[in-house]
Amino acid sequence: MNTRNRILVPVALLLALVTVAGCKKKPVPPPPPPPPPIVVPAPTAQITATPTLITAGDQVVLTWRTTDASSASIDGIGDVPTSGTKTVTPSVSTSYHLLARGEGGSAEASARVTVNPPPAVVQPPTMSEEEEFRANMQDIFFDYDAATIRADAQAVLAKDSSYLASHPNVKFVIGGYCDERGSNEYNIGLGQNRADAAKNAFVSAGVAASRIRVVSYGKEKPFCTESTEGCWQQNRRAGFTLDR
Amino acid sequence: MTRCKLPTGFNNPQIDEWVGLDFISRRVGLETHTTAGREAGATRIFLLGRIAHRMKASLRTLPLFALVLAFFLATELPAQDWVHTGTNLGNDRIRIAAADFKPVGEDPQTPALKAAFDATLYTDLANAGIFDLVSKSMLPQATPGAPPEINMTQWTAAPANAAMVAFGALSSSGGRLVVYGWLFDAKNTVNPQVLAKQYNEEASQEMARSVAHRFADEIIYRLGGGINGIAETKIYFVSSRTGSKEIWAMDYDGQNQHAITHLGAISLSPRISPDNSRLAFASLGNQGWAVRMYSLELGRTVSFPAGTAGGSNQSPAWSADGTKIAFSSSRSGSPSIWVADASGANPRKLTSFKGPDVSPTWNPRTGTEIAWVSGRTGLPQIYTMDLDGANIQRMTDGGYAISPSWSPNGQALTFSWNRKYGPGAPGGQDIYYFDIASKRWLQLTHESGSNDFPCWAPDGRHIVFERTIGGRTQIWSMLADGTQQQQLTKTGNNFMPNWSWK
């Protein structure tokens, strides 16, 4: 009984459904539409650029799509497939102008990419200027508790001065440095005298005083921190750095 | 340099005036030196002439004259190393007991406040330098909270043997801290009360310490001959613990350390104004060092026009009346001593020599003399001059002498001196006490690190200084005879302490 019912019930329901459905009146089919006039649709064109704002050197992806076109071209790129993508790296702001041609006429679209100039590339020239300065300007060293220019320092200053004479636009800082012995205050005074002695030597050699800035660092910025005479000598100096 | 040891028990009226209350002389007694030993003839004549002049002026100096003459006549004085032959020679410090204060009430804040108060009062009295403080282990167990509760015989009996007892009660309630404090003279059975004080403040750890400082200063003022205590004073200093050298402040005992400036530059040489309102210091900028002014009232830097002239403008020093600032400036060549109004107006130059002139300090008593460091003859030496740049006197006879500070009574300098300076010399950089009239000196630090920037406390009994050991520099304080040395800072590196005037 169970098995029979399981089959009978769905069948009966199905029959009932078909019967009910069959009762609806069938609509009269509409007359066939008149044949369309023979017109060629005008083409359409779309182009996008991603992103639209870049820094020079960055890449932009152009994506374009046309319909009913037989050929397409983008200004500055030339003929292109009727749809596609292309990666470009414009160096200046550019309008990418897409022209799609078909039997039905032509269509245009454009995408504007704004290109910011690259960050000022000052690093390479300044580095080289700085490197050149460092390669040519040697620091001078002093005797203990003294601010007088030693004979060996005079030779160094002569070479430094000739570099400065041939690079009249170079401005620089003379730092006065002292070894760790003695008070911070006395060493600032001593460092000032060392830096001033170097400045006076440069000015005597014809370097304009306006190119020179003098700062005494005393014993606040040592080059070397060991308590040895070798280290102390390294710290008793007038140091030259490019002024920016 | 020949050094000579004075006979123990040596007593000279001139020396008795070194520091108020005979503080130094009574404690020194052990070793005194003169710079006159190996002077060039000209200097001797000069010195003799000066002393002869002084003798004419006052017979009081006769013993000193005889003493100096004795030095000249002595052919070979025995040199000897420093020794501590004893302390408190001829000096009985007042034996004082500081009882733990009695806690009153059940407020949960009270125990912590009481602990801070008790510890601070005990430390202040121990630091004062005029007391023989009964050690905690010898104190009676009693904590008398008021006069009726104190049993004097407990305190006068051994082992406390107190001559004076400080005691009282402390309570906190409703966010207020109330302290009653008494000082009793144990020997005066009839009328023992010397002092009775009451304090009512906001209940906080900081205020508990502050109240203890104030009570301690009352006691010190009463028993210390009318000289104000230093428990409420501050010490300004340079710390590089945050990376750059900034100006910091702390209580005199090293508590409550906090930054004042946040400039991110190198700032040095803080000098607090006599009224505690402004802080002069030096700071490194694009155009070199400028003397700058920080208003503690406004919490920002204020204008100080005389301090910014390019080059090195640094090491400011306030006159005791707060109207003028002396400083070192290189604006006209080699760094010289200049003086300007405290407003930064009217800078004028006092010295004009080749070597660097830096680190001025005023005679706080007269306001008309300045001591400073000059490299005019080579290694830096200490000189004094009048405010018009005249009457220049050289104080030190050699070595490497820097960072002077003039004592509050005007009679002495303290500075950092490496006397045995030179190749292979065994000298260390130590703090010295230097009597200006006699040019005799006393070495205060011995064989511990490199010591610099001593600065007098306003009581003339204490000196704060920086000590570098193994590349680490910290602030220390000591009594003006070199005893009771204690380290005040432990974090980072700390330099150039300056003790407030009050």
Side-chain angles (χ1 to χ4, degrees), chain B residues 13 83 97 150 247 341 421 427 483:
Chain B
V83 282
I150 190 163
I247 310 300
D341 296 347
Y421 203 83
T483 61

Side-chain angles (χ1 to χ4, degrees), chain B residues 14 18 35 47 50 54 64 361-364 369-371 382-385 393-395 405-407 409-415 433-441 456:
Chain B
Q14 192 71 23
W18 275 16
T35 62
L47 194 58
R50 183 161 171 252
R54 285 178 54 88
L64 172 70
T361 177
W362 298 71
N363 180 338
E369 295 154 282
I370 285 175
I382 309 293
Y383 294 78
T384 61
M385 65 178 163
Q393 311 250 3
R394 180 164 162 177
M395 294 287 116
S405 171
W406 207 311
S407 71
N409 68 4
Q411 294 172 6
L413 298 169
T414 179
F415 50 81
Y433 174 96
F434 190 95
D435 180 67
I436 294 168
S438 68
K439 294 193 176 177
R440 284 186 297 175
W441 44 262
W456 286 97

Side-chain angles (χ1 to χ4, degrees), chain B residues 198-217:
Chain B
Q198 180 190 342
Y199 304 91
N200 185 333
E201 297 289 354
E202 179 197 336
S204 69
Q205 285 284 304
E206 195 183 338
M207 204 47 86
R209 286 203 308 269
S210 170
V211 166
H213 286 323
R214 282 146 63 186
F215 186 52
D217 275 349

Side-chain angles (χ1 to χ4, degrees), chain B residues 4 6 57-58 60 65 83 162 186-187 234 251 254 278-279 289 291 300 318 345 358 362 422 444 489 491 493 502:
Chain B
C4 55
L6 291 170
S58 165
R60 206 184 48 165
F65 177 65
V83 282
K187 303 278 161 60
K234 309 280 182 199
D251 295 348
R278 280 170 294 171
L279 192 63
W289 294 89
V291 172
R300 60 174 171 81
W318 290 88
V358 297
W362 298 71
L444 302 183
T489 60
T491 308
N493 283 293
K502 59 183 183 182

